Amino acid sequence: MFSVLRAASGRVRLFWLNASLIGVIAATAYWQIELNAWNKPFYDALSRRHLGDFLSQLGMFGKIAGALLVLNVAQTWLNQMLRMTLRAAFTRDLFAEWLAPRRIFLLSQAGRIGVNPDQRIHEDARHLADLTTDLGVGLLQAALLLGCFIGVLWGLSAGVVLSIDGRDLIIPGYMVWCAFIYSGVASTAGWLVGRPLIGLNAEHYGRESDLRFALVHLNEHGEDVALYRGEATERKRLDLVLERLLFILRRLVGATTNLTWVTAGYGWFTIVAPIIVAAPAFFDGKLTLGGLLMSAGAFTQVQQSLRWFIDNAGALADWRATLHRVAAFRLALLESDGAASSESRIEIETTTDDRLRMENLEVLFPYGTITLSKPVVELAPGERVLIVGAPGAGKTSLFRALAGLWPRGSGKISLPSGGAVMFMPKSPYFAVGSLREALAYPGPPERFPQEAYERALRRLGLGRLSPDLDRRARWDQELSDPEQQALAFARMRLHEPSWVVIDEAFEALTSEALEAVFDILANELARTAVLYIGGGHTKRERRAKVLALNFEPYEPRTPVPSSAR
């Protein structure tokens, strides 16, 4: 089930959990055989009204029941631990693939498969781990019980004699063959009726994730909806998403009901089926009451093991649908790199010299092609370059190309080595956590001393936040847009990068914060090279080189690449 168990510690843990489960299930099967064999002397003692044998068999029952109780508790604990271990393995594997370089962005451009990755990583991985554990343990238990009881039932079948037209007919393993036929018919019927559940369950999980995403998105933008008085419109949208979910749920109800006709019908008939099968030997006097109940118990165990499929038809359809969703998501992650590499792509390399260089750069995006006014652009330490473009000319696509997120195009980008480049988008990101963690991101908070955090906040006019450095909060909700952008530049001041690429981030700053940023760039970060894509704020620096961003729209017949801005 894909390579989720690469870590040696995970493999060892799973090995011991599975080995322990096999041992517990095997021991449970042994004591269930003992319990089935106990039926004969117990009920024979009742039929003979022998008090001594009756009390003796009650004592034996206590021993058997006590052993089974301990084994049941142990199996439950191991089952839960296996669920947890498998979920950790599945989720960590998806974490690793989703958060590989650039994939989180490339997946968002991959169409429907990239919608709601949180649902697939959180809910689908959990559900897959639960179903895999329950079905795997159930199948193992059914196989062991079948292997144990089929021999018992074959031996008991020797006492079954069928009288046909006055002639006695003995069929070796008569009750075993009856169990096979009974379970085969039930399993075939269950497979035919339950097959539609596979596709319906897969669609169901997709619709559930759509509703969850719509609710989360609406909750995060509740203030904007209230300001626009858009509650009625949003309710119509939610009703539409809910109705799409309810349509699938109605079909699931019908398919599940049809399957219940089969499973419940066979379940009720199973109460009398083993008695009917063994009745000829009982009425001919070949079996005592205890022998009849022992034969019925063995028949029930065999046919229940054989009809494991029908009993779990719905769960198997659910498991297969969930497995397909998780596997398709993981495959999309793995193929996202290949999809990008199969197109005409920009060459990005890391150099050892102190230069940021763009050669013959051409960026493709849905509406056209982006080029620079100079074919070769070089940025040395301490230099300032301003790239100016009209609204909608693809400034953000150029920014993404420089960051290595948008590979579609041609030309070459050479970046300084050592991760010395800081990329600042126009919408800053702050992880949920303390303010200290937000400023140190993506590094550890202990990297910088206390006074460095306080100095960075003061320089951007955010000194009032110094007492809150260790308070955990949603800073993207507590701070205004200008304050968030100022905090992003405080992060820049703290890290003191050698290179900064900025995407229209000056426009959101207040005039005071903007003055502070220019003062920092002129003094503390005088040796920092700055590449700014956007408006004309940096024209105030006389030493800034100004380049134009040229946009050439596609001709109508030209194929349009996949989505981006």
Side-chain angles (χ1 to χ4, degrees), residues 150-213:
I150 200 167
V152 175
L153 189 60
W154 189 281
L156 291 172
S157 298
V160 179
V161 179
L162 301 179
S163 297
I164 301 177
D165 292 333
R167 298 176 59 185
D168 290 341
L169 178 63
I170 299 176
I171 302 175
Y174 160 74
M175 297 184 70
V176 174
W177 299 119
C178 289
F180 270 100
I181 294 171
Y182 179 81
S183 302
V185 173
S187 296
T188 301
W191 179 77
L192 292 174
V193 176
R195 193 176 181 184
L197 284 170
I198 298 172
L200 289 175
N201 275 319
E203 187 66 21
H204 171 222
Y205 294 133
R207 301 286 173 88
E208 289 283 5
S209 66
D210 290 343
L211 178 60
R212 180 176 176 273
F213 174 79

Side-chain angles (χ1 to χ4, degrees), residues 57 257 320:
Q57 291 304 317
T257 302
R320 188 176 176 186

Side-chain angles (χ1 to χ4, degrees), residues 461-478:
L462 300 173
R464 63 179 180 82
L465 296 177
S466 294
D468 295 328
L469 275 169
D470 294 312
R471 182 168 67 87
R472 297 180 62 86
R474 284 284 304 270
W475 301 105
D476 58 334
Q477 294 183 357
E478 288 205 4

Side-chain angles (χ1 to χ4, degrees), residues 98 104 106-117 120 329 332:
W98 187 46
I104 191 171
L106 292 174
L107 183 70
S108 68
Q109 308 295 316
R112 183 170 177 78
I113 193 68
V115 177
N116 307 334
R120 296 183 185 257
F329 177 70

Side-chain angles (χ1 to χ4, degrees), residues 97-145:
E97 299 298 346
W98 187 46
L99 295 175
R102 303 185 307 132
R103 279 188 187 163
I104 191 171
F105 172 77
L106 292 174
L107 183 70
S108 68
Q109 308 295 316
R112 183 170 177 78
I113 193 68
V115 177
N116 307 334
D118 55 306
Q119 170 79 12
R120 296 183 185 257
I121 294 174
H122 177 267
E123 188 60 25
D124 288 353
R126 178 198 65 79
H127 198 47
L128 179 61
D130 290 351
L131 288 173
T132 300
T133 301
D134 291 344
L135 291 173
V137 170
L139 180 59
L140 175 63
Q141 195 162 16
L144 284 174
L145 287 174

Side-chain angles (χ1 to χ4, degrees), residues 83 145 232 239 276 338 340 352 362 392 399 404 414 519 531 550:
R83 281 188 181 193
L145 287 174
D239 284 340
I276 294 174
T352 55
E362 186 176 88
F399 175 80
S414 301
D519 187 61
L531 176 61
N550 301 321

